Amino acid sequence: GIQVEQSPPDLILQEGANSTLRCNFSDSVNNLQWFHQNPWGQLINLFYIPSGTKQNGRLSATTVATERYSLLYISSSQTTDSGVYFCAVAYQGAQKLVFGQGTRLTINP
Amino acid sequence: DTEVTQTPKHLVMGMTNKKSLKCEQHMGHRAMYWYKQKAKKPPELMFVYSYEKLSINESVPSRFSPECPNSSLLNLHLHALQPEDSALYLCASRRTGESEQFFGPGTRLTVL
C-alpha cells in the first residue's frame, strides 16, 4: 500500500520561531490533507491541498504532487501551535485516507 | 452546520458490557468513517459507509459492529471488548465526489 512519511518526528521550538514540516508519499494520490491534533484529540483540518500553495494566517502549505511531497510552514509560532501535525493522503477512489506518523511540535514560551 | 459531533466524549466499560458510540453530521455528507487511534500513533481506518451501506471493513474484529441507520448518523456497537481496545475512536465524514474528510472530536474509550 501507499507509504506516507513525515519528518521530523519531534520538533521543539521557542515561541516566535518558524518551522517547516515535511510529508513524503510513495505513490500518486487523489489528495492530501494537513491536520493539527490538539491535546484533547480533536483533528483540526488545516489544509486540503492536492497541489500548489495555500496560506491561512501564519500557516501555509505547498504540495508538489509530481515529486510526491508536501510542506507545512508555521511562522511566528505560538504555544497554542503545540500538538501533533498529521499529513494524510487519499487514494483508492478517495475513499481511504492514509496518515503519516505525525510530527510532534512543542512550542515553549 | 459544519461539524461532526460524537457522543459520549469519554466511556469506561467492562469486558462484558455492551455499549455504543454515536456520530452525527448534518453537512449532507454521504460517506462516513470510523477510525481507531492508539496513543502516539496515527488514526487507523476501521469502517467506511457510503450511502448508508458498508463499503470498507478493514478486517475489524466482530466485537465492533458498525451501523448507519440514516444519512446523518453512524453508530459503533461494542461488545465483549478487550483492554487493548482502549483507544480514541474518531468519526469522520466526506462529501461524495470530494476527498476532504472532516473529523469529530472523538470518544476516548477505556476497557477495564
Side-chain angles (χ1 to χ4, degrees):
Chain A
I2 194 165
Q3 305 296 316
V4 181
E5 293 183 0
Q6 290 186 243
S7 59
D10 293 279
L11 190 55
I12 301 174
L13 298 171
Q14 291 298 120
E15 204 166 21
N18 302 330
S19 57
T20 301
L21 282 57
R22 187 176 180 102
C23 172
N24 293 334
F25 43 97
S26 61
D27 205 344
S28 300
V29 296
N30 296 109
N31 192 27
L32 185 142
Q33 288 185 249
W34 282 99
F35 297 93
H36 176 212
Q37 189 163 41
N38 65 23
W40 298 271
Q42 171 90 54
L43 273 171
I44 300 162
N45 287 41
L46 297 177
F47 293 103
Y48 171 72
I49 185 164
S51 63
T53 297
K54 290 187 177 180
Q55 179 148 11
N56 184 2
R58 295 181 296 104
L59 274 61
S60 64
T62 294
T63 297
V64 183
T66 52
E67 297 186 24
R68 298 181 185 165
Y69 73 89
S70 184
L71 301 173
L72 176 69
Y73 305 97
I74 305 173
S75 64
S76 304
S77 300
Q78 300 174 359
T79 55
T80 50
D81 294 331
S82 295
V84 182
Y85 289 79
F86 287 107
C87 157
V89 300
Y91 74 111
Q92 197 164 317
Q95 285 214 88
K96 287 194 173 187
L97 203 58
V98 175
F99 285 78
Q101 292 297 308
T103 291
R104 182 171 298 276
L105 178 63
T106 303
I107 305 297
N108 291 322
Chain B
D1 193 347
T2 57
E3 66 174 352
V4 179
T5 60
Q6 290 187 242
T7 54
K9 286 186 169 45
H10 300 274
L11 179 62
V12 180
M13 60 186 292
M15 289 189 284
T16 59
N17 293 156
K18 285 186 182 181
K19 297 286 185 184
S20 296
L21 310 184
K22 178 180 170 182
C23 171
E24 202 160 5
Q25 56 85 20
H26 296 285
M27 296 180 280
H29 293 177
R30 303 303 295 272
M32 295 186 76
Y33 298 74
W34 281 115
Y35 289 84
K36 174 181 177 180
Q37 187 179 20
K38 301 284 278 184
K40 298 189 187 301
K41 295 289 187 183
E44 291 182 348
L45 182 64
M46 300 175 72
F47 301 105
V48 181
Y49 271 83
S50 181
Y51 291 94
E52 296 86 71
K53 289 187 173 17
L54 184 66
S55 62
I56 296 177
N57 176 343
E58 293 285 272
S59 303
V60 178
S62 60
R63 57 185 183 269
F64 295 92
S65 175
E67 178 198 21
C68 191
N70 61 58
S71 60
S72 300
L73 187 57
L74 184 67
N75 297 319
L76 186 62
H77 303 297
L78 314 173
H79 173 54
L81 294 193
Q82 304 297 308
E84 59 264 30
D85 296 321
S86 298
L88 179 67
Y89 287 84
L90 293 161
C91 174
S93 70
R94 173 180 65 84
R95 186 178 302 281
T96 47
E98 299 177 7
S99 56
E100 186 175 12
Q101 291 188 26
F102 296 87
F103 283 78
T107 294
R108 201 165 291 279
L109 174 69
T110 302
V111 182
L112 301 176

